[in-house]
């Protein structure tokens, strides 16, 4: 007679799962809100726990129900599925919270990767947590970690900065604030803006080592690596489509302190848009110089005819 392993009732109780045991089946999914990571391209990148949660949930909230159906069909799942996206989230949230308080099991998924990461769900989790509703992460793919790990750039500290503003002037301002960050930087970018974004990054950060990860985990996955000022030219025109992540290495020690030319340029720009105080604050933050130095320089610049 073969013995059937005890399947833990608590989905968090990994220690209780005997070696070689089958995954908990959907019935073992406790009530609560499940944040379920789904593939970022390759449909096989799904965890057994994710399948259990999707199969066992009373309701799956999906960013795009049509897109999610592809995933459900691949795994023979037929969950009750409703839309939860940036346009209806404010309207839907209260009824979702009420259902959770009544003891329902609800899974949240996005079109790809980990929900809440440049995707909807943050306010739902915040409010569920405030109401003491159980919230579980079912971790799995996320484009930022896939890109960082294949980049060949330092992984010990990183800043995920999401999407940059589409307009170059706002983008450069956002980049300037991240210039002094002592960590690898990760950005999501659309294919039609990637070359312009790389040019702005080269202008702001100089020729730091960088990488563009394109169509990760998919059939036509490609990686481009090189100094920021050469990277845009390396990507063939026909590859300027699909999904992209940009990873940039941290600054060298010698990059830390801005020289006078960099400070003057940033101050000119900041003073044309902001008060003296906030311009000085902004440039102090990114230049690595003391506030006093920047303040004095700003006064000098203002005195110039
Ligand atoms: N929640 C997702 C995650 O965990 O990665 C991100 C969603 S965000 C709306 C979509 C962006 O993620 C794309 O514009 C692209 O920058 C990046 N992305 C998603 N899938 C990707 C892939 N397979 N290869 C490269 N980048 C990808």
């Amino acid at each position: 007679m073969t013995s059937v392993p005890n399947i833990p009732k608590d989905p968090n109780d990994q220690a209780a799962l005997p070696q070689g045991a089958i995954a908990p089946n959907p019935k073992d999914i406790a009530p609560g809100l499940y944040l379920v990571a789904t593939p970022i391209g390759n449909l096989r990148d799904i965890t057994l726990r994710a399948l259990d949660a999707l199969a066992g949930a009373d309701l799956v909230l999906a960013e795009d129900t049509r897109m999610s159906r592809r995933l459900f069909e691949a795994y023979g799942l037929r969950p009750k599925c409703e839309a939860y996206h940036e346009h209806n989230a404010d309207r839907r949230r209260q009824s979702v919270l009420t259902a959770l308080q009544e003891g329902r099991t609800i899974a949240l998924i996005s079109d790809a990767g980990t929900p809440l990461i440049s995707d909807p769900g943050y306010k739902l989790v915040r409010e569920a947590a405030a109401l003491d509703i159980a919230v579980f992460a079912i971790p799995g793919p996320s484009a930022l970690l896939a890109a960082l790990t294949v980049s060949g750039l330092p992984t010990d500290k990183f800043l995920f900065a999401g999407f940059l503003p589409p307009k170059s002037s706002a983008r450069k301002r956002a980049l300037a604030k991240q210039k002094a960050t002592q960590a690898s930087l990760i950005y999501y970018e659309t294919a039609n803006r990637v070359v312009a974004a790389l040019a702005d990054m080269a202008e702001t950060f100089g020729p730091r080592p960088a990488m563009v990860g394109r169509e990760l985990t998919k059939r036509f996955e490609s990686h481009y690596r090189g100094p920021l000022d050469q990277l845009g030219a390396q990507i063939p025109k026909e590859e300027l489509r699909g999904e992209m992540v940009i990873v940039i290495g941290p600054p060298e020690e010698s990059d830390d302190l801005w020289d006078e030319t960099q400070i003057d340029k940033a101050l000119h720009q900041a003073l044309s848009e902001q008060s003296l105080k906030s311009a000085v604050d902004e440039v102090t933050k990114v230049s690595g110089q003391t506030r006093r130095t920047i303040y004095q320089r700003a006064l000098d610049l203002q005195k110039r005819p």
Side-chain angles (χ1 to χ4, degrees):
M1 203 178 89
T2 46
S3 65
V4 178
N6 274 334
I7 295 167
K9 289 282 178 277
D10 175 358
N12 287 328
D13 190 3
Q14 289 191 12
L17 195 70
Q19 244 199 343
I22 53 167
N25 76 37
K27 290 196 199 82
D28 296 309
I29 294 292
L33 175 62
Y34 287 78
L35 312 171
V36 182
T38 59
I40 57 168
N42 189 322
L43 278 183
R44 295 181 68 80
D45 288 333
I46 186 103
T47 68
L48 298 175
R49 252 184 105 221
L51 295 177
D52 289 342
L54 295 176
D58 298 310
L59 173 67
V60 175
L61 295 173
E63 215 186 339
D64 180 339
T65 52
R66 271 180 314 174
M67 262 191 86
S68 300
R69 205 160 294 141
R70 245 187 90 216
L71 177 72
F72 301 152
E73 274 167 16
Y75 290 97
L77 301 169
R78 289 166 166 259
K80 180 176 174 203
C81 182
E82 291 176 4
Y84 189 87
H85 45 65
E86 58 174 332
H87 305 296
N88 75 353
D90 286 341
R91 251 181 299 126
R92 279 294 269 121
R93 199 171 307 118
Q94 192 47 56
S95 60
V96 174
L97 291 167
T98 305
L100 286 165
Q101 283 182 303
E102 286 167 359
R104 301 279 192 290
T105 301
I106 298 185
L108 176 71
I109 60 175
S110 58
D111 285 353
T114 302
L116 278 78
I117 303 300
S118 292
D119 272 331
Y122 157 67
K123 288 184 185 164
L124 179 61
V125 172
R126 185 184 61 185
E127 288 173 33
L131 292 169
D132 267 338
I133 292 166
V135 182
F136 304 103
I138 305 233
S142 191
L144 73 103
L145 288 182
L148 177 67
T149 48
V150 296
S151 69
L153 296 165
T155 53
D156 56 336
K157 270 184 266 162
F158 62 87
L159 171 75
F160 170 59
F163 285 97
L164 284 162
K167 289 215 176 110
S168 181
S169 52
R171 186 160 58 216
K172 283 194 222 165
R173 273 201 302 279
L175 290 169
K177 288 185 188 150
Q178 289 146 10
K179 182 172 169 144
T181 304
Q182 299 294 318
S184 292
L185 304 172
I186 307 173
Y187 301 94
Y188 285 164
E189 193 47 276
T190 58
N192 57 348
R193 281 201 294 264
V194 74
V195 172
L198 287 169
D200 288 347
M201 289 166 175
E203 192 181 315
T204 312
F205 300 138
R208 280 197 212 167
M211 179 261 188
V212 172
R214 178 181 166 272
E215 295 285 89
L216 298 166
T217 76
K218 301 189 199 177
R219 184 152 167 229
F220 297 109
E221 171 166 358
S222 41
H223 308 158
Y224 295 93
R225 297 185 180 86
L228 265 177
D229 54 336
Q230 294 168 29
L231 201 51
Q234 268 191 48
I235 308 175
K237 282 214 166 54
E238 62 277 13
E239 298 238 326
L240 289 175
R241 56 197 159 105
E243 300 198 280
M244 315 232 175
V245 183
I246 301 173
V247 187
I248 301 174
E252 300 278 331
E253 292 286 302
S254 58
D255 290 350
D256 290 358
L257 291 185
W258 280 17
D259 60 26
E260 239 172 47
T261 319
Q262 288 172 300
I263 293 170
D264 286 0
K265 197 172 163 199
L267 274 175
H268 266 302
Q269 171 86 18
L271 286 167
S272 70
E273 296 159 350
Q274 306 169 38
S275 67
L276 175 69
K277 184 184 173 304
S278 55
V280 168
D281 285 345
E282 180 181 304
V283 178
T284 302
K285 218 186 282 169
V286 295
S287 65
Q289 299 279 5
T290 62
R291 193 173 193 285
R292 197 184 155 141
T293 307
I294 301 299
Y295 184 67
Q296 191 52 53
R297 193 71 202 154
L299 292 181
D300 292 348
L301 283 180
Q302 281 192 326
K303 274 188 224 142
R304 279 193 201 163

